[in-house]
Amino acid sequence: RPRTHYPMGLYGFEFKKICSVLSAVVLLASILLTVYVSDDAYHLKRDFEMNFYTEYMEIIEGEWTEEKHAKIEAEYRENAAILGRKEAMHEDYLSGTVTKEEYNVYLGAYLDAEVKSDTLLRIYERSEYLKMKHEEGFSVSYFVYVPSNPSW
């Protein structure tokens, strides 16, 4: 019976080998690039959060007071309100009740609030704890700034 399918020649095998190795190298390079870029973005966010935390704690460091707590609570609630208005602002923008400029200003505030939210939550929870201790009769409670926080 005559052969209808001939085996691939040497050049065909070599071409197939080069293509499979090349695709594996491209895939590996893509994965490494993705990991590098993701890691870099994480460090930027972490560094910003640490700088914000440091600046904030330098302002409120010291004895806990009702005034400090009120300031922290107000800033925390304002931040939460900005984050909570995202969908409503988007719908207002789509319906035309909010201009493009107003929406862009809001988006800037939203992105700022999103980055600050974890840090403000941590500071607010600490202030709530110190308030509870103050109400339990502890005479003095302090905000302590720890520059080398291992959880960052």
Side-chain angles (χ1 to χ4, degrees):
R1 172 170 201 202
R3 226 180 224 196
T4 57
H5 180 348
Y6 294 99
M8 201 180 309
L10 180 60
Y11 291 117
F13 279 118
E14 288 300 318
F15 180 73
K16 186 176 178 183
K17 184 171 72 172
I18 289 171
C19 288
S20 65
V21 170
L22 183 62
S23 63
V25 168
V26 168
L27 178 65
L28 182 62
S30 300
I31 291 171
L32 291 175
L33 181 64
T34 302
V35 168
Y36 176 75
V37 170
S38 298
D39 186 55
D40 195 38
Y42 167 76
H43 286 294
L44 285 175
K45 183 178 186 291
R46 186 199 63 198
D47 292 346
F48 177 83
E49 286 177 344
M50 190 61 190
N51 287 339
F52 175 68
Y53 175 76
T54 301
E55 290 173 9
Y56 204 95
M57 289 306 292
E58 286 174 354
I59 294 169
I60 64 168
E61 185 175 27
E63 185 176 346
W64 179 89
T65 63
E66 288 285 341
E67 294 81 25
K68 285 181 183 179
H69 180 72
K71 179 183 183 287
I72 291 166
E73 185 174 23
E75 192 162 347
Y76 172 74
R77 295 206 186 284
E78 179 184 340
N79 199 66
I82 290 170
L83 293 174
R85 288 196 318 257
K86 184 180 182 186
E87 287 184 29
M89 282 296 284
H90 184 70
E91 288 179 16
D92 288 347
Y93 172 67
L94 292 177
S95 69
T97 57
V98 172
T99 67
K100 182 178 181 179
E101 290 78 24
E102 291 172 327
Y103 187 62
N104 283 336
V105 168
Y106 169 75
L107 285 179
Y110 176 82
L111 293 174
D112 190 45
E114 189 175 42
V115 172
K116 291 179 179 180
S117 66
D118 291 340
T119 304
L120 283 175
L121 175 63
R122 179 178 290 159
I123 293 169
Y124 175 70
E125 287 175 344
R126 181 68 180 164
S127 184
E128 283 288 310
Y129 172 78
L130 293 176
K131 180 181 179 182
M132 180 186 70
K133 289 299 179 186
H134 181 75
E135 290 170 351
E136 287 177 358
F138 286 86
S139 59
V140 180
S141 299
Y142 284 93
F143 279 105
V144 179
Y145 166 59
V146 181
S148 58
N149 189 340
S151 67
W152 294 78

